[in-house]
Amino acid sequence: MALVLAIAALAGTGVPSRASAQEAGNLPADAKFVSIGGSVTEIVYALGEEDRLVARDTTSTYPAAAKELPDVGYMRQLSPEGVLSVGPEAILSIAGSGPPETMLVLQRSGIPVVTIPEGHSAEGVVAKIEKVGAALGVEDKADALARTVQAEFRRLGEEVSAIPERKRVLFILSMQGGKVLAAGTGTAADAMIRLAGARNAVTDYAGYKALTDEALIEAAPDAILMMDRGEADEDAAQILESPALKATPAGEAGKLIRMDGLYLLGFGPRTADAARDLAAALHGEVALR
């Protein structure tokens, strides 16, 4: 109850706290912190700084050791109580974490908050690594990791440049009531498809949109791409039996690719590997040699 009352008091004040000054700066030396955002947590581990973590959000599922930490909730549906209950000395969060009211309360709580910029490109991944490294005061480690990641992206670029045919890929976020929610431009899925040497089958809108049967048939994807949600996944046959999808080249060929969501869309240190795996699934391993 005391925590709830303190949070309510903070929410009602208009006075900026010292945490606001940390938005563009570094965390205090050796501060124990909460990591919000799967790619941020993955970078923390890649930098060897995981001993400073006290908790993580639901999207932080890699490496497996991260799942042993307390879970403060989904990154876009956080509560101040949930985050502050683990006693962090600082917060490291990906841009877009929220809701905004929660982030405002956290920023006014007196706990330093550093926001890591989101980016769906090779440059964006490197920028994340550099920002996390600077926030944790381990710039040398971050520089080394960034160089390794850049080299992987260069190798990926050389491999996919030799692919003779750009497959059309439809990324489906969900299918509810038979309605297909598909990724357009400006999405992580769109960026990943292009990194893999393929084309997004839907480019006439930005973000995500429910498509009509006519739009699905017109998109004519060669492959359907979805996140792997484990036991909660719909059966592949059920998806491909959708009348509209069945009428596409992907449906006719039974081409459905599933990949782990964080690996595919997180844009963390493993992104070049994820794009390479997607390219191999689309074009075959031989095409990448």
Side-chain angles (χ1 to χ4, degrees):
M1 179 61 71
L3 177 61
V4 173
L5 292 175
I7 290 169
L10 284 166
T13 66
V15 181
S17 76
R18 66 184 176 86
S20 299
Q22 292 290 337
E23 277 294 325
N26 301 343
L27 300 184
D30 300 322
K32 300 291 186 180
F33 63 93
V34 172
S35 178
I36 300 170
S39 62
V40 173
T41 303
E42 187 172 335
I43 291 168
V44 171
Y45 274 87
L47 295 174
E49 296 297 311
E50 65 272 16
D51 288 348
R52 295 169 61 180
L53 284 169
V54 295
R56 49 91 190 185
D57 78 306
T58 302
T59 70
S60 298
T61 58
Y62 183 88
K67 292 188 282 188
E68 298 176 9
L69 292 166
D71 184 346
V72 299
Y74 176 56
M75 58 170 285
R76 300 192 194 282
Q77 298 175 350
L78 299 169
S79 69
E81 297 93 334
V83 176
L84 296 177
S85 68
V86 296
E89 298 171 333
I91 298 167
L92 197 60
S93 67
I94 192 70
S97 298
E101 312 87 75
T102 291
M103 301 311 295
L104 181 60
V105 171
L106 294 176
Q107 289 162 14
R108 289 173 172 171
S109 69
I111 296 174
V113 177
V114 173
T115 300
I116 306 303
E118 185 59 280
H120 301 142
S121 64
E123 295 77 15
V125 173
V126 170
K128 283 185 190 180
I129 292 169
E130 292 175 343
K131 181 70 173 181
V132 172
L136 300 183
V138 290
E139 290 88 348
D140 289 348
K141 289 183 180 180
D143 286 345
L145 178 59
R147 286 195 297 271
T148 298
V149 168
Q150 287 171 324
E152 286 301 309
F153 274 112
R154 283 194 296 269
R155 184 162 73 91
L156 171 69
E158 293 169 357
E159 291 171 348
V160 301
S161 66
I163 296 173
E165 179 188 5
R166 302 299 184 197
K167 300 285 188 181
R168 294 173 62 83
V169 180
L170 177 70
F171 177 82
I172 298 177
L173 181 63
S174 66
M175 287 186 68
Q176 295 182 347
K179 292 291 185 181
V180 171
L181 187 63
T185 61
T187 60
D190 177 73
M192 177 56 74
I193 289 167
R194 288 185 281 108
L195 278 174
R199 293 185 292 164
N200 190 349
V202 181
T203 58
D204 56 353
Y205 62 83
Y208 289 87
K209 181 178 176 181
L211 298 184
T212 64
D213 288 353
E214 292 77 10
L216 285 172
I217 294 171
E218 185 178 349
D222 298 302
I224 296 165
L225 177 62
M226 298 182 72
M227 290 188 288
D228 185 353
R229 293 188 173 94
E231 293 181 0
D233 263 333
E234 296 160 284
D235 183 76
Q238 178 186 346
I239 295 169
L240 294 172
E241 282 299 313
S242 163
L245 292 176
K246 194 173 181 180
T248 67
E252 293 173 359
K255 190 69 170 180
L256 172 61
I257 301 168
R258 278 205 180 98
M259 295 177 65
D260 175 78
L262 178 58
Y263 185 52
L264 178 67
L265 304 178
F267 278 79
R270 299 178 295 156
T271 296
D273 289 336
R276 187 174 291 109
D277 286 349
L278 176 55
L282 289 169
H283 309 286
E285 294 282 357
V286 175
L288 299 181
R289 294 175 183 171

